[in-house]
């Protein structure tokens, strides 16, 4: 009997040790690098973002220098949960309107939007480029993949309206996680009445679904569901949110703001099908630009003319769409 009991205890100890090691591994290799504050990028690392394309990177550098030469202001708001959120603001004299640009996961506003910020500014728009929570100049310890960021997005839109009034058009664009953030915000109460349209570039559907895609389809991680469920326990415990707390699909079923969806067909990080799913359920007026051969988040530099043509037409079509 004692031997049997000892054997059972040994098995239990081994199982407990295995579970502990699994939780520790999920924390170290999944939760900590993906949900805690984003690292600052060195400029030499940014070429990887542009898929190693020297021409794209050089254009980015030139446009970033142009934006910084304008001496953008740093503006600050306080989030619903008490964080100081900061943004670069480019004010255009006699502006035709304003646009809010939401960057993506582990990025920053000028890394993703230098070229587009210049484009919008030269078109006559005030341009607001926030650092998302837990990135760069904004406070915050944890990223939430759009779950809490959607409220930050809404608050930036409200702040822009306070700064520049309700009588001029306001647009919103997001790339990758910033796109999901913008789309999740699209059905929130309290959005400004002069929000005329959303440009949604390569966004995912839910935090859980994009992490599952990357874990199972791209990295072939065994026991993906179990590992993600453990990671979700950690997000609830440490960061105060659930990976299924917000969905672009649910938001777009209620959204009434026109949307221009954009996605590269060769995106191997956020699959094109997620934009197609978002497009199909969107209740509002909608358009879709599929950029042939573009990888993740580089459609605007790879197909600049095609991209900006579609955006110009969208802005022109909906600039008077104020309620």
């Amino acid at each position: 009997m004692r031997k049997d009991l000892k054997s059972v205890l040994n098995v239990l100890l081994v199982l407990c040790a295995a579970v502990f090691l699994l939780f520790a591994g999920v924390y170290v290799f999944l939760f900590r690098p993906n949900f805690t504050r984003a690292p600052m990028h060195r400029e030499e690392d940014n070429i990887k973002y542009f898929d190693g394309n020297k021409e794209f990177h050089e254009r980015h550098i030139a446009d970033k220098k142009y934006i910084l030469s304008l001496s953008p202001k740093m503006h600050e708001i306080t989030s619903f949960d008490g964080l100081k959120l900061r943004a670069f603001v480019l004010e255009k004299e006699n502006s035709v309107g304003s646009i809010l640009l939401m960057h993506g996961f582990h990025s920053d506003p000028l890394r993703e939007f230098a070229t587009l910020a210049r484009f919008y500014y030269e078109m006559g728009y005030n341009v607001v480029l926030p650092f998302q929570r837990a990135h760069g100049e904004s406070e915050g310890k944890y990223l939430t993949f759009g779950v809490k960021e959607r409220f930050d997005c809404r608050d930036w839109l409200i702040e822009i309206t306070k700064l520049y009034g309700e009588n001029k058009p306001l647009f919103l664009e997001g790339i990758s996680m910033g796109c999901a953030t913008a789309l999740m915000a699209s059905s929130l109460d309290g959005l400004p009445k002069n929000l005329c349209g959303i440009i949604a570039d390569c966004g995912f559907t839910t935090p859980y679904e994009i992490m599952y895609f990357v874990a199972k389809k791209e990295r072939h991680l065994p026991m993906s569901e179990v590992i993600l469920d453990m990671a979700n326990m950690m997000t609830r415990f440490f960061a105060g949110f659930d990976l299924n707390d917000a969905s672009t699909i649910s938001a777009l079923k209620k959204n009434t703001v026109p949307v221009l969806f954009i996605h590269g067909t060769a995106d191997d990080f956020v699959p094109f099908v997620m934009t197609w799913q978002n497009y199909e359920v969107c209740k509002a007026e909608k358009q879709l630009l599929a950029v042939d051969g573009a990888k993740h988040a580089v459609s605007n530099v790879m197909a600049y003319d095609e991209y900006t043509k579609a955006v110009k037409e969208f802005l022109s079509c909906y600039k008077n769409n104020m309620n």
Side-chain angles (χ1 to χ4, degrees):
M1 179 68 83
R2 287 182 178 178
K3 287 185 178 180
D4 290 342
L5 181 59
K6 187 175 181 180
S7 297
V8 170
L9 289 174
N10 286 336
V11 170
L12 287 174
L13 284 172
V14 170
L15 287 174
C16 288
V19 170
F20 174 80
L21 289 173
L22 183 57
F23 266 92
V26 171
Y27 178 81
V28 171
F29 294 106
L30 181 59
F31 178 82
R32 189 173 65 181
N34 288 298
F35 295 95
T36 53
R37 170 167 276 274
M40 296 294 288
H41 294 279
R42 298 173 302 170
E43 191 55 60
E44 55 264 34
D45 295 330
N46 284 343
I47 194 168
K48 297 176 185 176
Y49 174 84
F50 296 99
D51 198 33
N53 188 298
K54 185 177 179 181
E55 179 185 349
F56 296 167
H57 185 241
E58 287 178 350
R59 179 169 197 161
H60 159 74
I61 293 292
D63 290 334
K64 182 176 179 178
K65 286 180 178 178
Y66 172 82
I67 295 300
L68 294 175
S69 75
L70 299 173
S71 300
K73 300 177 181 178
M74 187 70 78
H75 194 76
E76 180 179 289
I77 64 172
T78 302
S79 71
F80 71 95
D81 52 353
L83 300 177
K84 299 298 182 184
L85 304 177
R86 300 179 179 91
F88 287 129
V89 176
L90 298 171
E91 291 189 344
K92 186 73 171 182
E93 189 174 358
N94 300 317
S95 69
V96 299
S98 301
I99 185 158
L100 174 66
L101 304 177
M102 302 296 290
H103 72 76
F105 170 79
H106 280 197
S107 191
D108 65 64
L110 293 186
R111 187 189 201 195
E112 289 185 349
F113 283 113
T115 296
L116 287 174
R118 180 172 186 169
F119 164 71
Y120 289 121
Y121 183 78
E122 291 181 343
M123 280 189 68
Y125 284 86
N126 301 310
V127 182
V128 180
L129 299 127
F131 290 88
Q132 292 243 50
R133 62 171 54 216
H135 289 76
E137 299 297 324
S138 288
E139 294 181 347
K141 185 175 181 181
Y142 298 109
L143 289 69
T144 71
F145 286 79
V147 174
K148 294 183 180 180
E149 290 88 349
R150 59 187 163 146
F151 300 109
D152 303 337
C153 180
R154 178 192 60 187
D155 291 346
W156 277 116
L157 291 169
I158 292 170
E159 182 70 7
I160 292 170
T161 303
K162 290 178 182 176
L163 291 172
Y164 304 114
E166 293 185 343
N167 61 336
K168 288 185 178 180
L170 172 60
F171 287 92
L172 167 63
E173 176 166 3
I175 289 180
S176 192
M177 188 186 84
C179 172
T181 298
L183 294 178
M184 290 174 186
S186 67
S187 64
L188 294 176
D189 293 334
L191 293 175
K193 294 181 179 180
N194 61 327
L195 178 59
C196 297
I198 300 170
I199 300 151
D201 187 343
C202 65
F204 52 80
T205 49
T206 70
Y208 188 94
E209 287 172 353
I210 187 57
M211 296 206 75
Y212 180 81
F213 173 82
V214 172
K216 182 149 186 135
K217 305 296 183 182
E218 291 301 308
R219 299 182 183 171
H220 308 291
L221 194 66
M223 298 177 19
S224 297
E225 295 92 339
V226 173
I227 289 171
L228 281 179
D229 286 343
M230 288 183 174
N232 204 16
M233 291 174 64
M234 293 176 189
T235 66
R236 290 196 297 268
F237 181 79
F238 292 111
F241 79 103
D242 188 285
L243 292 176
N244 290 301
D245 272 347
S247 160
T248 59
I249 300 293
S250 298
L252 287 166
K253 287 179 179 179
K254 298 180 284 185
N255 170 50
T256 59
V257 181
V259 183
L260 168 60
F261 293 94
I262 302 174
H263 209 129
T265 61
D267 193 331
D268 56 3
F269 188 69
V270 176
F272 179 84
V273 68
M274 287 191 173
T275 280
W276 181 250
Q277 291 168 341
N278 286 329
Y279 175 82
E280 282 198 308
V281 302
C282 182
K283 177 183 176 183
E285 294 182 47
K286 56 194 176 183
Q287 300 172 18
L288 174 64
L289 172 63
V291 181
D292 189 43
K295 291 194 175 182
H296 185 63
V298 295
S299 293
N300 69 90
V301 288
M302 178 177 171
Y304 178 82
D305 292 340
E306 181 183 13
Y307 192 108
T308 54
K309 180 177 182 291
V311 169
K312 282 180 180 178
E313 290 174 355
F314 182 77
L315 298 180
S316 178
C317 181
Y318 294 107
K319 64 184 179 181
N320 296 316
N321 185 46
M322 293 185 277
N323 297 322

